[in-house]
Amino acid sequence: MWTKHHKKRKFGRLTLPVITVAFLSYFGYHSVHGDFGLRGMEDFERQRVERQARLDVLVRQRQILEKEVALMSDGSLERDMLDEKARSYLNMSKADEIVIFH
């Protein structure tokens, strides 16, 4: 009967733990420093706050424009507002007028 004797390798039993540590280190690093990691979430939150502020400004501007359109289109045209808009767009005023910009 033939028997084979295997020489036990010193590094053989360390292979699986080394591979496991390598994978855990890789995924651990990228869970903190990656695009979708903890630092990436801070960037997303900063962008969200900036974009929310920009959205608030745009919503306010839209409300102002909707109010002006409603004043012009409700059947009775506001002469003062029409005069103000025409002078603003044409950049004209009379010689005896005082112009206050807001």
Side-chain angles (χ1 to χ4, degrees):
M1 173 187 281
W2 293 87
T3 60
K4 292 185 178 180
H5 294 285
H6 294 286
K7 182 179 177 184
K8 293 201 177 208
R9 296 179 189 148
K10 293 180 182 179
F11 299 113
R13 68 178 116 168
L14 295 178
T15 304
L16 184 61
V18 167
I19 291 173
T20 303
V21 167
F23 277 117
L24 289 176
S25 299
Y26 176 81
F27 287 115
Y29 175 81
H30 286 288
S31 68
V32 174
H33 299 287
D35 290 339
F36 298 104
L38 296 175
R39 292 198 179 160
M41 289 302 185
E42 292 172 359
D43 293 338
F44 286 145
E45 182 63 23
R46 181 185 45 79
Q47 287 178 357
R48 187 192 67 78
V49 168
E50 289 173 0
R51 290 177 182 171
Q52 183 65 41
R54 177 71 177 141
L55 177 65
D56 294 340
V57 169
L58 291 174
V59 165
R60 181 67 184 140
Q61 288 176 351
R62 181 180 174 137
Q63 289 173 346
I64 290 169
L65 289 174
E66 286 177 352
K67 180 181 173 186
E68 290 176 359
V69 168
L71 288 173
M72 288 196 283
S73 65
D74 67 349
S76 64
L77 195 59
E78 294 281 336
R79 278 188 72 177
D80 290 337
M81 191 180 75
L82 182 64
D83 186 48
E84 176 187 344
K85 289 295 178 189
R87 289 174 188 272
S88 173
Y89 290 138
L90 297 175
N91 199 17
M92 297 178 69
S93 64
K94 295 180 183 175
D96 61 343
E97 289 181 334
I98 297 174
V99 179
I100 300 173
F101 295 104
H102 63 302

